[in-house]
Amino acid sequence: MKTPFSVQSENYVVGSTVRQIRSSAAFYSFLSILTKNEKEMELRVPVHSLSNSSLPSLTKPKVRISQRKLVPVRITYPILSSTPIRMESQSPLRATPTEDHRSTVTSSSPIESGARQGRIGEVKRVTRETNVSVKINLDGTGIADSSTGIPFLDHMLDQLASHGLFDVHVRATGDIHIDDHHTNEDVALAIGTALLQALGDRKGINRFGDFSAPLDEALIHVSLDLSGRPHLSYDLEIPTQRVGTYDTQLVEHFFQSLVNTSGMTLHIRQLAGRNSHHIIEATFKAFARALRQATEYDPRRLGTVPSSKGVLSRA
């Protein structure tokens, strides 16, 4: 099958195929757009300058062209000129010219700028029972720096930082001489408020997170939605009342407090497990990974709010 195309110049016309052409000037290569049924074409291209008196032999390289859809281009053919061929894409480049028009600077998206600056929430909560300060960076590297006076809670906050890749700084003092209840609660309330602050208008984020974390015999599934609507569905069966000095009833209270101030929907399910420490730690690890998924940016969303309503808010 012949490839239909034509190239016109002052002295010659090339028709359905490239033919032998007499000219005193050296030719540049010809470009042909294949028809959708053409798989192979044959080009005859001069390999050196042609003389006026004789026509040298021509090479006939075969060129295989894939049938993938090509981006249309506009080409200037300087047939009798030594000026190089200039090709222009029909898709405009995303660049911003500088004032002196000598260079261009590509502009970064709001998502890229936000990630570089870091989404940070910082909260201080002071009551007659506790004094809590929290700083969290959603775009951190997993720095854990927590001191709550409750060793097991510090260990769980380390899991949140390490597996969520959040920078988590917590300082708390409280009436732990009575029990851990108030400090555990107020730390969770402050973390939830810091999350709410760091998320801002929630533009461009994935919004949803889902993760199952195993720890030896324990397997915990966490699914969450940064919807702005607080809800906790909690289904853990922790066999002992305490892990160390930590009251295991405080696990549910921690997540309920965090949900209330952050405005997230959170589901926690125990799929397997017999060891209390393993069950609780797997829960915090799964929560960290699910929260990481939900807070990370979706590049296809292009900075829009992930809601058909166009807004996600705590109110």
Side-chain angles (χ1 to χ4, degrees):
M1 177 178 176
K2 299 294 186 179
T3 303
F5 78 100
S6 63
V7 178
Q8 296 185 358
S9 69
E10 182 178 353
N11 301 320
Y12 44 80
V13 175
V14 180
S16 60
T17 58
V18 180
R19 305 182 184 281
Q20 298 177 354
I21 305 171
R22 300 178 183 274
S23 172
S24 60
F27 276 85
Y28 295 98
S29 62
F30 289 93
L31 178 65
S32 171
I33 305 295
L34 295 180
T35 62
K36 62 181 179 180
N37 295 322
E38 183 86 355
K39 292 184 178 179
E40 183 176 304
M41 65 174 291
E42 187 173 285
L43 298 179
R44 299 182 183 182
V45 183
V47 294
H48 58 276
S49 299
L50 302 177
S51 64
N52 293 326
S53 59
S54 63
L55 181 67
S57 61
L58 302 176
T59 60
K60 301 180 181 181
K62 289 189 176 180
V63 180
R64 290 193 178 274
I65 309 285
S66 72
Q67 291 183 332
R68 291 180 301 175
K69 185 175 180 181
L70 301 177
V71 177
V73 295
R74 186 171 68 253
I75 303 172
T76 302
Y77 291 93
I79 300 299
L80 299 178
S81 170
S82 60
T83 304
I85 294 176
R86 179 171 58 90
M87 301 180 66
E88 298 178 357
S89 170
Q90 291 183 351
S91 299
L93 297 176
R94 297 178 61 184
T96 303
T98 57
E99 292 184 358
D100 59 6
H101 303 289
R102 289 193 297 267
S103 63
T104 58
V105 179
T106 57
S107 58
S108 61
S109 68
I111 289 177
E112 293 169 342
S113 299
R116 282 198 298 269
Q117 296 171 359
R119 293 167 294 167
I120 297 174
E122 191 166 3
V123 174
K124 187 171 181 64
R125 177 183 175 86
V126 180
T127 70
R128 292 180 179 179
E129 299 164 336
T130 64
N131 187 327
V132 179
S133 61
V134 169
K135 182 177 180 180
I136 186 167
N137 182 359
L138 299 180
D139 304 304
T141 58
I143 297 173
D145 179 23
S146 297
S147 178
T148 65
I150 307 172
F152 186 78
L153 180 59
D154 291 344
H155 180 46
M156 294 303 101
L157 296 179
D158 289 349
Q159 308 310 308
L160 177 62
S162 177
H163 296 283
L165 288 181
F166 309 126
D167 293 344
V168 179
H169 303 267
V170 179
R171 291 290 181 272
T173 57
D175 56 358
I176 56 176
H177 61 282
I178 299 174
D179 65 9
D180 297 339
H181 183 98
H182 294 144
T183 303
N184 180 85
E185 177 184 16
D186 286 0
V187 165
L189 289 171
I191 290 176
T193 304
L195 281 172
L196 180 69
Q197 185 184 114
L199 285 168
D201 55 18
R202 312 188 188 198
K203 288 182 178 179
I205 64 171
N206 288 316
R207 173 179 168 178
F208 299 98
D210 188 272
F211 198 84
S212 293
L215 180 55
D216 295 347
E217 88 298 340
L219 179 61
I220 306 298
H221 177 76
V222 170
S223 186
L224 63 84
D225 175 13
L226 299 178
S227 60
R229 299 184 300 275
H231 173 81
L232 174 66
S233 180
Y234 177 93
D235 183 20
L236 294 184
E237 295 181 4
I238 304 173
T240 62
Q241 185 175 352
R242 292 187 181 276
V243 175
T245 61
Y246 188 76
D247 184 351
T248 55
Q249 289 183 333
L250 296 180
V251 177
E252 180 177 5
H253 195 52
F254 178 92
F255 285 108
Q256 184 64 69
S257 300
L258 188 150
V259 159
N260 288 344
T261 51
S262 66
M264 75 170 66
T265 297
L266 177 62
H267 290 261
I268 301 174
R269 291 288 181 271
Q270 180 179 333
L271 304 180
R274 296 182 304 274
N275 182 281
S276 298
H277 189 132
H278 292 172
I279 293 169
I280 299 172
E281 184 170 338
T283 299
F284 274 83
K285 287 178 176 178
F287 173 71
R289 289 299 298 267
L291 185 60
R292 175 181 167 184
Q293 288 178 9
T295 57
E296 285 180 338
Y297 286 118
D298 179 355
R300 294 181 58 196
R301 192 161 289 283
L302 301 177
T304 60
V305 176
S307 171
S308 58
K309 298 189 296 291
V311 63
L312 288 172
S313 66
R314 177 65 181 82

